[in-house]
C-alpha cells in the first residue's frame, strides 16, 4: 500500500491548475446510459472513482475509450439491469445508475451502496422519488430492485435536499411521461452541470441549481459533448493550503463563484483572496484569526471542506468551533490531527478547537477522502516528518495531489510499500 511522506513547515508558492470536478463527472458519465448514441466528456479527472465508474459502465454495456482527460463512450450491446455488490461497494455514487436504467429498461437491481465511512448515508429519498414516479421497490438480500412499465412524471417534495437523490431523480425523469417537479432539490453546482449535459442530449430541464427543478420528459435522448466544471472542493483545499503554510498560491481553471462560502471564511480569517476571471489568488498576509464554521447545503460551507478547515483552525491562535450538520459521523480526522498536536474536543456534532502554535509530524492514517486532504494539509504545516498511510482514499478524489503540492514547493513524496 502506498504512503505519503511529508517534511513540513514550508511555505507553498506558485500556480496550480484545478482539475475537473469528480462529483460532476460521475453523474454525467452515468447519463450516457440514457442513450445509444456516442458521448464525449472533457476535463474528466484521472481518479480511482472515475476508474470505478468507467469499469461499471463497461460492465453494464458501454465501450469506453479514455485519452488524458477526455472520455469517449459508445454502446456495446444490450444494457444489463444489474449493479452487483463488488462494483457498488467501492463507491456510493454507483446508486445513480438506478435512475437511467429504470427509465430505459423498466427494471434494475442495484446492490445497496458502500463508499466513504462517514455515517449511515441512507437512500430513502432516492427510493421515495422512484416510488412517486410510479416504480415498485423491493429490498432483497442487500439489493434494491426497482421496476416500472413507464415512469410517469410527478411532483416530488424532498424531505432534505440530497445531492445524489436530485441527480438520480433527474436521470430517471428525463425519459418519464409528462412533467416532474422536484421541490427542495439540492442547489450544488454539480446539479446544474448535470442538467446542462442532459439538456445537451435533448432533455428538457429547467431550474437546476435552484430548489425547484422542472423536468419535462422526452421520448428519446441523443449523445452529449460536454466539459466538466472545475472541482470546487479541490479549489478550496488548495486555498486552505496557501493559508495553512503561510504561502501564496494562484489557482487556475476555477469557478470562483462556486467557492464563495470558503472564500468568505478565509477572508474573515485574514487571508487575502482575489479572483480574476477563472483565477483565484490566495495569499497569507498576517497571523490568522479563528473563524467558526457550520457545514450546510450549497451555498453554505461544504461538508467536503470541513476537515480541511479544522486542520487550518488547529493552527490558528484562539478558539473556534466546527459544526457538522450534513453527515452525522464525519470527525474521523480528529484523532489523527490530535496525534500531530492539535487541541480538539468533540461534542456531539461540534468540535471545539483551541489553536496551537505548531504541530509536529507523526505517522497518521486516512479514514476517508476529505479527512485525507486535511491530514496532508496538516502534514504540510507541521514541523518534521509526517507519514500518511491508507492514501487510497485520497486517490479516489484528488488528481496527482502530491505532484501538485511538490510543484508548489512542498517536500512531499509517495512511497510504494
Ligand atoms: C454528495 C457528494 C459528497 C458530498 C455530499 C454533500 C457525490 C458523488 N458526493 O454525496 O461528496 O459530501 O453530496 O454535499 O456527489 N440522505 C438521506 N437519505 C437519502 C440521501 C441522503 O438521509 O436518500 C442524507 C445523507 O445521509 C447525508 C445527507 O443526506 O446525511 C446528504 O447526503 P447527499 O446530499 O445525498 O450526499 P451524496 O449525494 O451522497
Amino acid at each position: 500500500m502506498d504512503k505519503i511522506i511529508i517534511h513540513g513547515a514550508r511555505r507553498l508558492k506558485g500556480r496550480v491548475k484545478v482539475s475537473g470536478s469528480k462529483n460532476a463527472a460521475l453523474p454525467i458519465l452515468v447519463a450516457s446510459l440514457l442513450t445509444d448514441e456516442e458521448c464525449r466528456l472533457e476535463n474528466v479527472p484521472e481518479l480511482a472513482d472515475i476508474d470505478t465508474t468507467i469499469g461499471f459502465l463497461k460492465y453494464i454495456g458501454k465501450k469506453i475509450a479514455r485519452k488524458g482527460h477526455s472520455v469517449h463512450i459508445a454502446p456495446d450491446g444490450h444494457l444489463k439491469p444489474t449493479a452487483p455488490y463488488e462494483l457498488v461497494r467501492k463507491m456510493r455514487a454507483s446508486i445513480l445508475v438506478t435512475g437511467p436504467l429504470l427509465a430505459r429498461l423498466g427494471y434494475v437491481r442495484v446492490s445497496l451502496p458502500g463508499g466513504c465511512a462517514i455515517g449511515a448515508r441512507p437512500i430513502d429519498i432516492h427510493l421515495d422519488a422512484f416510488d412517486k414516479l410510479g416504480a415498485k421497490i423491493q429490498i432483497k438480500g442487500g439489493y434494491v430492485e426497482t421496476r416500472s412499465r413507464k415512469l410517469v412524471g410527478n411532483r416530488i417534495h424532498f424531505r432534505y435536499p440530497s445531492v445524489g437523490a436530485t441527480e438520480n431523480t433527474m436521470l430517471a425523469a428525463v425519459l418519464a411521461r409528462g412533467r416532474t417537479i422536484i421541490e427542495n432539490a439540492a442547489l450544488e453546482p454539480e446539479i446544474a452541470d448535470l442538467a446542462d449535459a442532459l439538456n445537451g442530449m435533448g432533455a428538457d430541464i429547467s431550474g437546476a441549481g435552484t430548489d425547484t427543478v422542472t423536468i419535462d420528459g422526452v421520448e428519446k435522448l441523443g449523445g452529449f459533448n460536454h466539459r466538466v466544471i472545475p472541482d470546487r472542493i479541490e479549489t478550496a483545499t488548495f486555498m486552505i493550503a496557501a493559508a495553512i503554510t503561510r504561502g501564496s498560491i494562484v489557482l487556475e481553471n476555477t469557478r470562483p463563484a462556486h467557492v464563495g462560502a470558503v472564500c468568505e471564511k478565509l477572508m474573515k480569517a485574514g487571508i487575502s483572496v482575489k479572483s480574476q476571471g477563472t483565477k483565484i489568488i490566495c495569499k497569507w498576509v498576517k497571523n490568522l484569526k479563528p473563524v467558526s464554521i457550520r457545514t450546510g447545503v450549497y451555498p453554505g460551507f461544504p461538508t467536503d471542506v470541513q476537515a480541511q478547515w479544522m486542520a487550518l483552525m488547529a493552527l490558528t491562535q484562539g478558539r473556534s468551533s466546527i459544526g457538522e450538520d450534513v453527515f452525522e459521523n464525519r470527525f474521523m480526522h480528529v484523532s489523527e490531527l490530535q496525534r500531530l498536536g492539535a487541541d480538539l474536543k468533540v461534542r456531539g456534532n461540534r468540535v471545539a478547537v483551541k489553536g496551537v502554535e505548531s504541530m509536529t509530524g507523526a505517522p497518521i492514517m486516512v479514514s476517508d477522502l476529505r479527512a485525507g486532504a486535511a491530514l496532508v494539509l496538516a502534514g504540510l504545516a507541521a514541523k518534521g516528518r509526517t507519514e500518511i498511510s491508507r492514501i487510497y482514499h485520497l486517490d479516489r478524489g484528488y488528481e496527482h495531489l502530491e505532484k501538485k503540492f511538490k510543484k508548489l514547493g512542498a517536500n512531499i513524496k509517495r512511497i510504494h510499500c
Side-chain angles (χ1 to χ4, degrees):
M1 261 197 277
D2 289 3
K3 284 183 181 175
I4 284 179
I5 311 288
I6 303 172
H7 291 272
R10 285 180 165 219
R11 282 175 203 255
L12 298 191
K13 208 166 176 264
R15 291 170 181 271
V16 66
K17 193 163 175 247
V18 172
S19 300
S21 160
K22 164 180 90 76
N23 287 353
L26 296 179
I28 299 173
L29 288 169
V30 169
S32 67
L33 294 172
L34 289 163
T35 182
D36 285 332
E37 289 185 22
E38 294 185 11
C39 299
R40 189 177 292 280
L41 194 57
E42 305 290 342
N43 202 29
V44 181
E46 291 174 3
L47 298 171
D49 273 9
I50 299 290
D51 297 342
T52 304
T53 308
I54 287 178
F56 204 5
L57 294 176
K58 283 184 181 166
Y59 169 87
I60 292 174
K62 291 287 179 185
K63 209 166 17 186
I64 301 183
R66 195 168 169 185
K67 208 172 159 199
H69 292 119
S70 172
V71 176
H72 179 259
I73 309 169
D76 189 18
H78 292 297
L79 297 177
K80 282 197 199 77
T82 309
Y85 178 65
E86 303 78 68
L87 292 172
V88 179
R89 75 180 169 84
K90 289 191 189 163
M91 197 183 67
R92 180 185 156 81
S94 315
I95 189 75
L96 293 178
V97 301
T98 311
L101 289 179
L102 179 65
R104 288 208 66 197
L105 306 175
Y107 170 75
V108 54
R109 186 171 177 268
V110 179
S111 172
L112 284 164
C116 274
I118 53 173
R121 303 186 87 175
I123 53 163
D124 59 303
I125 305 170
H126 300 240
L127 299 185
D128 183 54
F130 296 136
D131 175 69
K132 294 263 169 34
L133 294 175
K136 295 266 168 292
I137 297 149
Q138 266 191 315
I139 299 185
K140 267 203 260 176
Y143 279 78
V144 186
E145 287 186 12
T146 316
R147 64 180 83 228
S148 155
R149 277 226 184 92
K150 172 86 182 164
L151 297 172
V152 181
N154 202 346
R155 185 179 284 270
I156 304 168
H157 185 89
F158 284 172
R159 68 168 174 81
Y160 179 89
S162 154
V163 174
T166 306
E167 292 166 347
N168 222 343
T169 308
M170 283 162 60
L171 287 163
V174 279
L175 288 178
R177 196 183 316 130
R179 174 171 284 192
T180 299
I181 298 174
I182 309 174
E183 293 169 348
N184 199 24
L187 271 59
E188 272 69 1
E190 294 76 25
I191 306 284
D193 204 31
L194 173 62
D196 284 348
L198 289 169
N199 284 340
M201 298 169 84
D204 187 353
I205 304 175
S206 55
T210 73
D211 64 359
T212 308
V213 182
T214 304
I215 306 139
D216 284 304
V218 296
E219 268 305 307
K220 216 173 163 199
L221 291 169
F224 58 74
N225 193 343
H226 185 82
R227 188 176 172 81
V228 176
I229 54 170
D231 196 307
R232 64 193 169 94
I233 306 303
E234 191 196 3
T235 305
T237 303
F238 278 103
M239 288 199 290
I240 296 174
I244 202 168
T245 65
R246 302 182 161 205
S248 166
I249 300 180
V250 179
L251 294 94
E252 295 172 340
N253 186 32
T254 70
R255 290 266 182 100
H258 291 174
V259 283
V262 179
C263 290
E264 192 194 309
K265 295 288 180 185
L266 278 170
M267 289 190 284
K268 255 194 183 159
I271 292 290
S272 155
V273 182
K274 291 197 177 107
S275 62
Q276 279 172 9
T278 58
K279 274 191 206 146
I280 299 177
I281 302 136
C282 203
K283 224 189 233 173
W284 180 89
V285 272
K286 56 175 186 271
N287 281 344
L288 293 185
K289 290 197 238 37
V291 177
S292 299
I293 58 136
R294 280 177 73 153
T295 64
V297 296
Y298 189 83
F301 194 93
T303 172
D304 287 351
V305 187
Q306 177 256 108
Q308 299 89 312
W309 192 261
M310 192 183 297
L312 178 64
M313 287 301 110
L315 281 169
T316 305
Q317 292 304 297
R319 291 171 190 269
S320 56
S321 151
I322 312 277
E324 174 56 60
D325 290 339
V326 178
F327 290 106
E328 83 273 23
N329 181 23
R330 207 173 194 180
F331 288 144
M332 266 125 28
H333 41 281
V334 166
S335 54
E336 302 303 297
L337 290 172
Q338 284 167 334
R339 287 176 55 76
L340 300 178
D343 185 343
L344 310 169
K345 286 199 177 57
V346 181
R347 295 192 183 116
N349 66 343
R350 299 272 175 278
V351 172
V353 185
K354 191 172 160 211
V356 294
E357 189 102 351
S358 63
M359 294 201 272
T360 310
I364 45 177
M365 202 186 274
V366 177
S367 57
D368 63 84
L369 171 55
R370 305 304 171 185
L375 299 185
V376 170
L377 292 175
L380 289 169
K383 290 183 183 149
R385 184 180 193 269
T386 298
E387 183 181 310
I388 308 178
S389 53
R390 299 205 180 160
I391 59 166
Y392 51 84
H393 289 291
L394 273 168
D395 295 335
R396 287 187 52 200
Y398 284 94
E399 188 179 43
H400 311 311
L401 188 70
E402 73 277 7
K403 285 191 190 140
K404 288 186 178 184
F405 277 130
K406 204 172 186 159
K407 225 180 124 217
L408 291 168
N411 184 340
I412 181 171
K413 65 177 179 203
R414 177 184 288 250
I415 55 165
H416 307 284
C417 314

